[in-house]
């Protein structure tokens, strides 16, 4: 998400930075481009106008235009306004109340409420050690209740037994008493998708809210939502007083402007981002970091956090210890690194966090740096014998042919991999030398091996 | 569900839906043009209004520029503006109004529904099945979404409603294998149509897009001309990302047409105007509700006029 917007804004700002002096007309021209970039990113028109006005007021002041680096100043103003628009700092993910904490999920059809309910349950169970009950009030979409029941099983949450034909309000009563009697910490109520203009169903959701008295009302919205985000946010906020927003499918290539619109209209924070279809794909939302990502400044903090969460610590320590004691880098180590990267969301997942990557995305695509390449390289290494992996010198012409055949690749690809391996090995050696002379060692020990550079030269 | 009768034009219902959302739009235009010269400020406002309907900044700018030609500086009335804009949008959409033609020489005629998650593929498939079953066709459904929990169960319910057999495989199994077996099965049964549902996939997920290409490949092992219609389901609520969706799905599986869903909401789906112009793809049907007969052919005149709030 946001990559397209990042690329566009990056281009505008690059031109701005190149100029020594800026006139009001320069700023106005740049902001017109920003306006179109935001609109193409589906930020709602009133929000865009408001944003541009604020930036313009601040940017055309004497102090900015007369400063030594006016371009940089303007970018900083845009960044600060974006952070403000996105909601400043991270907010608490869970209200503190007497159990059970009740969370009500609302939104349009197909926005991802049921999947998000399952993801939230998993997160609360695993990260906060809570006991979670899932209950579906969706009596309209065929098999919606079954879907939530299956997800509950997958993530180890409790599930309210389905009674066919029972009405939402009666299901709530049952869910509340079950949550209390069975000692659940959190009760997540999934609801049917509804259109903001469907009066009958909007009254129903108001009644559901009155009956359930939820502590948190999460509006679930698709990152692909267009200008209608404003109407949706307004309608739901008016009827059920939304307390937070979940933006789903942020792993798509939608520019996600709806996030900005909904946040602005409701005044409530974006709390979670839904990433992918697996139950683990839910991230807390960090407004300041995202603003950096939108402006192409990267989000290295989140990347390191992701690394910490997903990297196998034992393996990482083993590897670090091995290098510190002067061990050689083998193909097995390289395989380990590839797997770490895959676990962290693949190359494309990681790239999104890095500064400036949006601008070179096209080149990367042309250079074929993609997930397929990692998978093929993995297959090549897996087609080698253990002896070969430990001592690649063994691999000569005949063996290369066998490996290529075994992995469904070409000999040229095997050669490429071996060359890449040699580069990495040489680099590791250099690092080990530096470590001995004392300059680099402490850093190397701390870096997770999946993050070591060099694996993706051509 | 009960008050919906055949006599209620679905366009009336669509217009009710649209009018709720376009009332702001048309009010704006009314205020704008009742007693006014068509100057730059007026055109800017008009452009904003179109942008708010999801037409996108580029399409909106183009429409307004075309509109301003010959009219700039003249006195214009409210109805003239609305009529003219509706007319322009209708013209843009006219080439897109081509319903799906079922080639009866294909036994079965294979329809593949593709799209991002939550666009409304399964619901649309259920409605299509009912429509053809009503015409006395023998329809087989294939529950190709083997990924999402309970997607198969959801399609089964639609199958029951439409009275069509549903060909399924266990959750997590290979969608291409299921499609292959479903086609074999439908052929053996002498079915007229096979409708294949697929799992929702974001267009930038290469692996999932490859899977779609594979489904198509294996179908062609049985019938080299299958699938006979690959339809991309688009959510009207979505914004400009629809461009990226059309582009990516076209590259992967040669999309033959679009279905726009959730047009009964407050979203206007204005992005189709730009899509129609750029890709010349037919809009074979639109979804206007959750009941089984809420799938209708696309009428550009009615759509454009409903969008602009022009009667008739």
């Amino acid at each position: 998400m946001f990559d397209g917007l990042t690329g566009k804004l990056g281009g505008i700002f690059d031109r701005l930075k190149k100029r020594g002096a800026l006139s009001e007309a320069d700023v106005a021209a740049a902001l017109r481009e920003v306006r179109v970039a935001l609109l193409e990113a589906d930020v709602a028109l009133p929000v865009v106008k408001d944003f541009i006005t604020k930036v313009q007021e601040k940017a055309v002041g004497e102090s900015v235009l007369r400063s030594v680096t006016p371009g940089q100043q303007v970018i900083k103003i845009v960044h600060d306004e974006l952070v403000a628009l996105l909601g400043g700092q991270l907010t608490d993910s869970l209200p503190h109340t007497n159990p059970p904490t009740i969370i009500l999920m609302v939104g349009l059809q197909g926005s991802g409420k049921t999947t998000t309910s399952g993801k939230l349950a998993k997160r609360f169970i695993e990260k906060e050690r809570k006991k979670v009950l899932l209950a579906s009030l969706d009596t309209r979409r065929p098999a919606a209740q079954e879907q939530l029941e299956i997800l509950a099983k997958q993530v180890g949450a409790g599930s309210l037994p389905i009674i066919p034909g029972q009405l939402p309000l009666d299901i709530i009563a049952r869910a509340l008493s079950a949550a209390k009697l069975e000692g659940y910490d959190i009760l997540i109520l999934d609801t049917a998708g509804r259109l903001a203009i469907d009066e009958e169903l909007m009254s129903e959701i108001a009644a559901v809210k009155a009956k359930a008295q939820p502590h948190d009302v999460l509006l679930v919205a698709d990152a692909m939502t267009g200008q209608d985000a404003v109407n949706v946010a307004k309608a739901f906020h008016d009827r059920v007083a939304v307390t937070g927003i979940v933006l789903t499918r942020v792993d798509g290539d939608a520019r996600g402007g709806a996030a900005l619109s909904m946040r602005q209209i409701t005044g409530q924070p974006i709390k979670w981002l839904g990433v992918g279809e697996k139950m683990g794909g839910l991230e807390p939302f960090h407004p300041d970091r995202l603003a950096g990502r939108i402006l192409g400044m990267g989000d290295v903090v989140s990347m390191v956090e992701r690394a910490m969460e997903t990297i196998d610590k034992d393996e990482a320590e083993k590897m670090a210890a091995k290098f510190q004691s002067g061990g050689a880098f083998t193909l097995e180590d390289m395989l380990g690194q590839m797997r770490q990267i895959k676990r962290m969301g693949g190359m494309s997942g990681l790239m999104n966090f890095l500064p400036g990557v949006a601008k070179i995305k096209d080149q990367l695509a042309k250079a074929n740096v993609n997930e397929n390449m990692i998978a093929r390289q993995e297959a090549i290494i897996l087609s080698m014998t253990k002896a070969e992996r430990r001592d690649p010198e063994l691999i000569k012409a005949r063996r290369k042919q066998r490996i290529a055949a075994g992995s469904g690749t070409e000999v040229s690809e095997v050669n490429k991999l071996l060359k890449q391996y040699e580069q990495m090995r040489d680099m590791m050696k250099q690092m080990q030398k530096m470590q001995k002379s004392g300059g680099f060692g402490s850093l190397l020990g701390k870096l997770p091996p999946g993050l070591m550079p060099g694996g993706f030269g051509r | 569900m009960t008050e919906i009768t055949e006599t209620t034009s679905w366009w009336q219902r669509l217009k009710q839906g649209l009018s709720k959302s376009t009332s702001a739009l048309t009010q704006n235009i009314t205020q704008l043009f009742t007693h006014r010269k068509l100057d730059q400020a007026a055109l800017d406002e008009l452009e904003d209004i179109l942008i708010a309907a999801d037409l996108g900044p580029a399409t909106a700018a183009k429409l307004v520029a075309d509109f301003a030609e010959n009219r700039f500086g003249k006195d214009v009335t409210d109805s003239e503006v609305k009529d003219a804009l509706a007319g322009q949008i209708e013209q843009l959409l006219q080439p897109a109004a081509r319903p799906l033609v079922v080639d009866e020489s294909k036994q079965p005629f294979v329809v593949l529904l593709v799209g991002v998650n939550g666009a409304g593929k399964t619901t649309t498939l259920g409605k299509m099945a009912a429509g053809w079953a009503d015409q006395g066709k023998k329809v087989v459904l294939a529950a190709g979404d083997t990924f999402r929990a309970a997607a198969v169960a959801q399609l089964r319910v639609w199958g029951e409603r439409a009275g069509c057999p549903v060909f399924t495989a266990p959750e997590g199994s290979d969608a291409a294998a299921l499609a292959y077996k479903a086609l074999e099965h439908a052929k053996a049964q002498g079915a007229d149509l096979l409708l294949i549902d697929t799992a929702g996939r974001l267009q930038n997920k290469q692996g999932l897009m490859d899977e779609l290409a594979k489904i198509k490949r294996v179908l062609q092992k049985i019938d080299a001309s299958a699938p006979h219609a690959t339809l991309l389901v688009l959510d009207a609520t979505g914004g400009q990302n629809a461009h990226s969706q059309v582009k990516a799905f076209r590259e992967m599986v040669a999309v033959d047409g679009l279905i726009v869903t959730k047009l009964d909401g407050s979203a206007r789906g204005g992005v189709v105007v730009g899509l129609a112009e750029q890709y010349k793809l037919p809009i074979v049907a639109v979804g206007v509700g959750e009941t089984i007969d809420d799938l209708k052919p696309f009428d550009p005149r009615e759509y454009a006029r409903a969008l602009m709030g022009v009667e008739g």
Side-chain angles (χ1 to χ4, degrees):
Chain A
M1 186 184 59
F2 287 123
D3 293 342
L5 184 55
T6 307
K8 286 252 158 78
L9 290 180
I12 298 169
F13 291 141
D14 277 352
R15 265 170 279 146
L16 214 52
K17 268 191 278 190
K18 277 183 200 135
R19 309 191 59 138
L22 285 185
S23 67
E24 273 190 38
D26 292 334
V27 174
L31 287 182
R32 262 199 302 279
E33 289 183 62
V34 172
R35 174 181 176 274
V36 172
L38 291 174
L39 286 173
E40 279 175 353
D42 289 321
V43 182
L45 188 63
V47 179
V48 173
K49 284 190 162 170
D50 191 43
F51 180 83
I52 297 288
T53 311
K54 276 186 190 152
V55 173
Q56 192 138 27
E57 275 167 12
K58 290 186 183 165
V60 296
E62 279 289 291
S63 60
V64 174
L65 295 182
R66 298 256 173 272
S67 72
V68 189
T69 53
Q72 296 281 12
Q73 297 269 350
V74 173
I75 295 166
K76 186 179 179 306
I77 291 167
V78 173
H79 177 264
D80 292 350
E81 283 302 319
L82 263 182
V83 174
L85 187 57
L86 286 165
Q89 293 295 310
L90 173 71
T91 45
D92 257 350
S93 58
L94 200 60
H96 299 280
T97 55
N98 289 329
T101 302
I102 300 164
I103 302 175
L104 181 67
M105 315 290 289
V106 302
L108 299 179
Q109 289 96 336
S111 57
K113 289 176 295 300
T114 307
T115 303
T116 305
S117 301
K119 288 178 174 183
L120 273 173
K122 181 180 165 83
R123 178 147 185 127
F124 292 141
I125 291 166
E126 289 178 4
K127 291 256 153 86
E128 318 211 5
R129 308 258 158 240
K130 301 286 188 198
K131 197 176 164 197
V132 182
L133 177 66
L134 285 169
S136 170
L137 311 181
D138 187 351
T139 53
R140 296 175 65 91
R141 183 163 61 88
Q145 290 172 296
E146 286 79 0
Q147 185 185 352
L148 190 67
E149 190 173 44
I150 294 168
L151 295 180
K153 265 192 206 123
Q154 271 179 29
V155 302
S159 165
L160 193 72
I162 298 167
I163 299 180
Q166 195 170 37
L167 295 171
L169 291 183
D170 299 326
I171 302 176
I172 294 176
R174 203 152 54 85
L176 288 174
S177 78
K180 274 181 197 136
L181 285 176
E182 295 164 36
Y184 282 100
D185 301 309
I186 298 172
L187 166 63
I188 299 176
L189 295 169
D190 184 21
T191 63
R194 63 201 73 223
L195 296 166
I197 55 163
D198 187 330
E199 191 42 48
E200 186 191 332
L201 284 181
M202 289 307 279
S203 315
E204 184 203 84
I205 197 77
V208 160
K209 196 209 161 179
K211 173 117 186 172
Q213 297 284 320
H215 305 95
D216 225 353
V217 180
L218 296 180
L219 174 61
V220 182
D222 188 326
M224 291 176 273
T225 311
Q227 298 283 326
D228 195 42
V230 175
N231 303 327
V232 172
K234 209 182 236 148
F236 277 96
H237 195 50
D238 284 351
R239 297 304 279 267
V240 292
V242 169
T243 62
I245 296 157
V246 184
L247 200 67
T248 61
R249 307 196 185 111
V250 301
D251 50 329
D253 64 1
R255 295 176 193 169
L260 279 67
S261 314
M262 293 193 150
R263 148 86 198 148
Q264 174 85 340
I265 297 296
T266 62
Q268 297 300 314
I270 299 160
K271 289 193 171 174
W272 303 100
L273 300 178
V275 189
E277 294 172 85
K278 295 197 185 114
M279 284 294 111
L282 188 74
E283 292 176 1
F285 178 73
H286 296 274
D288 43 346
R289 297 183 193 173
L290 185 66
R293 240 156 102 177
I294 292 179
L295 294 180
M297 295 169 183
D299 178 7
V300 179
V301 185
S302 289
M303 184 170 84
V304 172
E305 274 181 8
R306 169 95 63 99
M308 292 304 177
E309 274 177 27
T310 50
I311 280 180
D312 184 334
K313 285 217 176 65
D314 294 342
E315 203 179 307
E317 273 164 23
K318 232 165 61 192
M319 210 178 223
K322 183 176 162 188
F323 291 124
Q324 268 160 351
S325 63
F329 181 76
T330 66
L331 280 163
E332 277 176 341
D333 298 327
M334 191 170 167
L335 184 65
Q337 286 198 1
M338 286 175 184
R339 289 187 170 161
Q340 296 280 26
I341 287 174
K342 259 170 64 178
R343 230 173 290 157
M344 287 166 63
M347 281 306 286
S348 54
L350 285 180
M351 295 273 192
N352 288 335
F353 292 110
L354 292 175
V357 165
K359 273 182 262 171
I360 55 165
K361 268 227 150 131
D362 290 343
Q363 281 113 293
L364 284 174
K366 273 183 209 132
N368 221 7
V369 180
N370 58 28
E371 314 308 329
N372 278 347
M373 191 188 80
I374 299 189
R376 289 173 83 87
Q377 294 195 332
E378 207 183 326
I380 292 174
I381 299 183
L382 288 173
S383 300
M384 297 173 183
T385 65
K386 274 193 180 150
E388 285 166 349
R389 287 181 218 170
R390 280 176 200 151
D391 183 10
E393 299 295 321
L394 288 174
I395 304 171
K396 302 285 186 239
R398 290 291 296 274
R399 288 189 188 233
K400 279 180 192 168
Q401 278 173 17
R402 192 207 75 233
I403 291 165
S407 56
T409 58
E410 305 286 329
V411 172
S412 62
E413 283 179 83
V414 178
N415 283 331
K416 206 165 113 188
L417 174 98
L418 288 172
K419 183 137 190 249
Q420 210 169 296
Y421 157 75
E422 279 165 22
Q423 285 169 353
M424 285 173 85
R425 184 197 55 196
D426 295 347
M427 203 179 66
M428 293 294 172
K429 270 190 196 149
Q430 272 184 355
M431 282 164 92
Q432 281 172 339
K433 265 187 218 157
M434 282 165 77
Q435 183 190 357
K436 267 181 203 143
S437 60
F440 211 73
S442 51
L443 179 63
L444 182 63
K446 277 178 199 144
L447 261 187
L451 289 182
M452 285 180 190
F456 301 95
R458 268 179 274 168
Chain B
M1 253 184 264
T2 44
E3 84 272 280
I4 296 164
T5 61
E6 280 306 307
T7 51
T8 325
S9 142
W10 74 275
W11 277 113
Q12 262 154 16
R13 272 189 291 140
L14 170 58
K15 264 189 285 185
Q16 281 163 14
L18 282 169
S19 68
K20 279 171 200 152
S21 56
T22 48
S23 58
L25 170 74
T26 48
Q27 256 169 27
N28 282 346
I29 295 183
T30 311
Q31 285 163 4
L32 194 53
F33 287 105
T34 311
H35 301 290
R36 194 161 170 181
K37 274 200 190 317
L38 195 61
D39 58 8
Q40 192 54 48
L43 290 177
D44 284 350
E45 282 174 56
L46 195 53
E47 188 179 320
D48 284 356
I49 291 162
L50 293 177
I51 287 170
D54 272 327
L55 273 84
T59 308
K62 186 179 177 297
L63 274 173
V64 170
D66 290 352
F67 178 74
E69 224 175 300
N70 306 325
R71 289 193 188 83
F72 195 80
K74 288 185 185 161
D75 274 319
V76 279
T77 65
D78 166 40
S79 68
E80 195 193 1
V81 169
K82 289 202 286 190
D83 271 352
L85 265 178
Q88 262 180 39
I89 293 171
E90 182 194 333
Q91 244 180 3
L92 274 175
L93 291 174
Q94 200 65 54
R98 281 173 279 152
L100 182 62
V101 181
V102 176
D103 179 351
E104 291 184 358
S105 71
K106 309 288 180 197
Q107 287 289 329
F109 186 83
V110 181
V111 179
L112 185 67
L113 284 195
V114 301
V116 297
N117 316 62
K121 286 176 295 302
T122 307
T123 304
T124 300
L125 194 111
K127 293 176 190 171
M128 291 176 93
W132 276 314
D134 268 1
Q135 295 171 22
K137 303 243 192 252
K138 193 168 177 192
V139 184
V140 174
L141 307 182
D145 184 353
T146 51
F147 183 85
R148 182 167 62 83
V152 173
Q154 186 184 350
L155 191 65
R156 264 211 197 99
V157 174
W158 280 109
E160 273 165 34
R161 286 180 189 172
C164 306
V166 181
F167 197 83
T168 64
E171 211 168 279
S173 50
D174 181 32
L178 170 99
Y180 184 87
K181 283 186 203 142
L183 180 51
E184 262 183 348
H185 173 85
K187 233 181 159 65
Q189 301 267 306
D192 299 312
L193 286 132
L194 169 64
L195 312 186
I196 305 174
D197 192 16
T198 61
R201 64 202 75 225
L202 296 176
Q203 69 274 17
N204 61 341
K205 305 270 166 175
Q206 198 52 46
L208 292 176
M209 293 301 277
D210 288 343
E211 183 191 273
L212 214 49
K214 184 179 166 195
I215 291 176
K216 195 173 165 177
R217 265 199 319 276
V218 301
L219 288 174
Q220 288 171 344
K221 285 186 182 168
I222 298 177
D223 180 346
S225 61
H228 308 103
T230 302
L231 304 177
L232 174 63
V233 181
L234 286 179
D235 181 344
T237 323
Q240 302 307 307
N241 190 247
H243 283 279
S244 161
Q245 290 170 31
V246 172
K247 188 163 174 280
F249 278 98
R250 274 186 81 200
E251 278 169 14
M252 201 38 92
V253 286
V255 171
D256 301 303
L258 305 176
I259 295 175
V260 184
T261 61
K262 305 183 200 171
L263 261 179
D264 49 333
S266 51
R268 298 139 204 184
V271 68
V272 298
V273 178
L275 287 175
E277 190 186 28
Q278 192 173 349
Y279 294 102
K280 322 279 182 221
L281 278 172
I283 300 168
V284 300
V286 294
V288 290
E290 288 178 292
T291 59
I292 201 153
D293 47 22
D294 285 334
L295 188 77
K296 306 291 173 182
F298 178 70
D299 181 331
R301 180 178 164 83
E302 291 278 6
Y303 176 83
R305 294 179 82 78
L307 193 72
M308 298 309 301
V310 185
E311 288 305 315

